[in-house]
Amino acid sequence: MSAPKRFQPPTGTRDFFPADMAVRRHVEQIWRQVALRHGFDEIDGPTFEHLELYTVKSGDEIVSELFSFRRAGGEKDYALRPEFTPTLARMVAAHGSDYPKPIRWYSIAPMFRAERPQRGRLREHIQWNCDVLGDPSPRAEVDVLAAAAHTLALLGLDPAEVRIRISHRDLVTLLLTRLGGVAEAALTPALAWLDRRLKVEPAAFRARAGELGIATEALACLDELAGAPRPARALLGPAIDALGTRFGAIADGHPALRHLREIATRLEAAGVLDWCDLDLGVVRGLAYYTGTVFEIHEASGAERAIAGGGRYDRLVELFGGPPTPAFGFAMGDVVIRLVLEDRGRLGPRESYLPRPDAFVIDLAAGAPRQDAVLMQLRRAGLHARASGRSSTNLGKLLGDAAKARARTAVIIGSEFERGEVAVKDLDRGAQQVIPLAALDGALRSILHGGAAPH
RNA sequence: GCGACGAUAGCUCAGUCGGUUAGAGCGCCUGAUUGUGGUUCAGGAGGUCGCGGGUUCGAUUCCCGUUCGUCGCCCCA
């Protein structure tokens, strides 16, 4: 026999052993719970798509960032999905008309990218997408943003720790053209450079901005509006309060500003406005965004963006569907988990594993009666486990029960001949002898917090 | 695709200025007169020092390569 070959997981991927999986489920369950409560239906699509789905808008450069492949002997190019939105837009373009508008869908699924892993970025991660399609009004934004804020709260974070930074591409464009003097042709590179504003040296930023034709007036305004994001509450007041004296007068009455103010009004009513900042520095790199864009960041700027999203009113049309305004966002599991760890919001990993309702111990090791009791409990809907060892040492078996974090131990001993078992509440230590026929009820009474009768 | 740094027990790490049997804590297994746990005590198992090559009398230690990881660049979904 040849020497065994040891395999490691591929670069940038993760193995989820039980405790890690339990933490993952903790986050996913909150995502799912929020989506459900907010009226989103779950969908999914293929894990890989035709490569063209991603290149049609972004050009061929993006291929190097995708895992793309071709079936042996085949001629079609495929790619593991790097994001969900193209799949969603494709699905809506094909069958969106079958559903009443607005469509509110979510998905929780793995996404892939071929880049070198670094903090907060792996080659495979689990991503939650939440989208509203067919509603051009600010209600779409509010539906999504409220779900995002609700999620942050349920994860144990508060508005002092994480901020939802909201922006609008039309406002940024207006600023660049009217105040910055940027020509139409230079708009796209100017927006792209803006996206990098906080990642490069201020001097380097100004130098390149000058080349792009962005006037110093606009840069000063950006420093004011994007350097220190102001609470989105400012949108409830005059335009000058929200956008400053220079830009406020120009933007006053602009549809984009009106849109943002309507969003703010509704966010206030929903009780989530205080999670939000207005930050025109948020542009987002993706080409398909058309209006409102936002990112969620840890307040101190630590870690990468926790989530990001925006309006993509043209994308469904681009994939051959009817004109369908859309707004959505995506949150990955990697960064949010880092933030929760940074903030000490995650307990010990093991604490997320499900606790067995009952741990069945048979003092005559290996007897079939143990299987009978286990199945009785399982048929009654309880989570029942037993030790894998063949010991009859009750102390050790109770140790196993404690290690499994079981809530009760069902001990099968000599009483079994009389049709009885001992039931021990492992959290409180109390123990009683119960007829087998009454076992389910006795366990449920313990599990539901009722103190065992003394 | 590029750069820096790292890899010793299941986990977190110490150590070897190149030299006999490589250590600790935690975890795991066994036991402490055979029906009561998460404490204690005593034992025990477990490492080709990531992998491959080179230098050397001798390499876990030095050099090169490689894989994986961490952090950054590019890019950003």
Side-chain angles (χ1 to χ4, degrees):
Chain A
M1 190 150 79
S2 60
K5 167 97 176 128
R6 298 272 297 192
F7 288 102
Q8 294 172 307
T11 297
T13 64
R14 295 167 290 176
D15 291 329
F16 290 90
F17 290 93
D20 291 316
M21 194 66 201
V23 176
R24 170 172 153 187
R25 288 294 185 226
H26 163 70
V27 172
E28 289 177 355
Q29 273 162 18
I30 287 174
W31 288 348
R32 192 161 269 123
Q33 185 181 68
V34 168
L36 210 65
R37 286 192 203 172
H38 288 245
F40 292 80
D41 288 318
E42 182 165 21
I43 60 163
D44 200 356
T47 307
F48 62 93
E49 292 273 9
H50 291 294
L51 178 62
E52 303 93 292
L53 186 73
Y54 306 111
T55 56
V56 69
K57 268 230 77 168
S58 313
D60 292 338
E61 295 171 16
I62 201 170
V63 173
S64 66
E65 294 149 25
L66 297 174
F67 278 108
S68 60
F69 56 95
R70 183 177 287 196
R71 187 176 59 85
E75 293 184 351
K76 289 178 181 170
D77 290 307
Y78 301 98
L80 294 180
R81 59 182 170 197
E83 58 165 330
F84 191 67
T85 309
T87 296
L88 173 70
R90 178 178 64 68
M91 289 169 69
V92 171
H95 291 289
S97 56
D98 298 350
Y99 299 88
K101 307 294 173 307
I103 289 171
R104 302 156 66 90
W105 285 346
Y106 81 96
S107 74
I108 296 174
M111 303 294 156
F112 309 85
R113 49 194 164 212
E115 292 147 310
R116 282 289 291 273
Q118 49 195 289
R119 187 173 179 83
R121 296 188 72 182
L122 300 176
R123 286 184 167 182
E124 178 180 19
H125 69 141
I126 313 298
Q127 196 180 64
W128 175 41
N129 276 258
C130 230
D131 295 85
V132 175
L133 300 105
D135 184 356
S137 83
R139 293 177 60 182
E141 273 94 335
V142 173
D143 282 349
V144 168
L145 291 170
H150 197 172
T151 299
L152 298 172
L154 286 181
L155 286 168
L157 299 165
D158 65 48
E161 297 173 308
V162 287
R163 304 299 301 168
I164 301 174
R165 299 183 188 164
I166 301 172
S167 178
H168 196 297
R169 281 202 164 172
D170 292 352
L171 276 187
V172 181
T173 300
L174 182 71
L175 189 153
L176 287 176
T177 52
R178 289 288 299 280
L179 213 50
V182 175
E184 190 75 22
L187 214 46
T188 302
L191 280 171
W193 186 239
L194 235 55
D195 195 35
R196 303 196 38 76
R197 183 164 165 277
L198 297 177
K199 297 170 186 169
V200 299
E201 292 295 318
F205 177 79
R206 281 193 301 275
R208 174 80 179 122
E211 290 171 26
L212 289 166
I214 307 176
T216 51
E217 175 78 352
L219 293 179
C221 192
L222 273 174
D223 285 337
E224 186 184 345
L225 295 177
R230 57 193 65 194
R233 185 167 290 280
L235 284 164
L236 298 180
I240 291 176
D241 288 358
L243 297 172
T245 49
R246 267 176 298 210
F247 189 49
I250 294 174
D252 200 8
H254 191 279
L257 183 59
R258 284 212 307 275
H259 194 82
L260 284 184
R261 294 169 100 164
E262 176 70 12
I263 290 172
T265 301
R266 286 177 172 272
L267 286 176
E268 166 71 349
V272 297
L273 185 60
D274 288 331
W275 289 85
C276 304
D277 289 328
L278 174 66
D279 183 355
L280 293 191
V282 172
V283 179
R284 306 288 295 156
L286 274 178
Y288 56 65
Y289 285 128
T290 51
T292 315
V293 287
F294 76 100
E295 289 179 353
I296 301 177
H297 284 265
E298 201 270 353
S300 70
E303 309 297 355
R304 294 166 196 284
I306 295 169
R311 261 204 183 271
Y312 47 101
D313 288 346
R314 299 277 169 68
L315 196 58
V316 174
E317 219 174 330
L318 190 80
F319 289 154
T324 308
F327 183 79
F329 88 112
M331 180 184 296
D333 71 309
V334 179
V335 175
I336 188 63
R337 198 159 158 168
L338 287 172
V339 169
L340 291 174
E341 279 166 9
D342 292 346
R343 294 278 174 178
R345 291 308 139 76
L346 287 181
R349 290 166 204 283
E350 290 73 19
S351 69
Y352 293 96
L353 289 165
R355 294 189 67 187
D357 297 314
F359 198 89
V360 177
I361 291 171
D362 187 352
L363 294 171
R369 60 188 194 182
Q370 176 177 289
D371 299 318
V373 174
L374 276 168
M375 277 307 287
Q376 177 185 338
L377 297 175
R378 288 166 177 168
R379 287 198 182 96
L382 295 169
H383 172 176
R385 296 191 180 197
S387 174
R389 78 170 95 210
S390 56
S391 169
T392 59
N393 182 329
L394 182 55
K396 290 220 178 296
L397 293 169
L398 281 171
D400 288 347
K403 247 171 274 177
R405 299 169 55 255
R407 300 179 65 183
T408 67
V410 174
I411 303 165
I412 307 172
S414 54
E415 314 90 328
F416 192 77
E417 294 163 21
R418 304 195 305 272
E420 293 176 334
V421 291
V423 173
K424 178 160 188 166
D425 181 334
L426 290 171
D427 290 338
R428 296 188 183 81
Q431 184 169 327
Q432 51 189 320
V433 176
I434 306 280
L436 261 179
L439 182 55
D440 313 346
L443 283 174
R444 287 195 189 284
S445 130
I446 293 174
L447 295 172
H448 289 123
H454 291 90

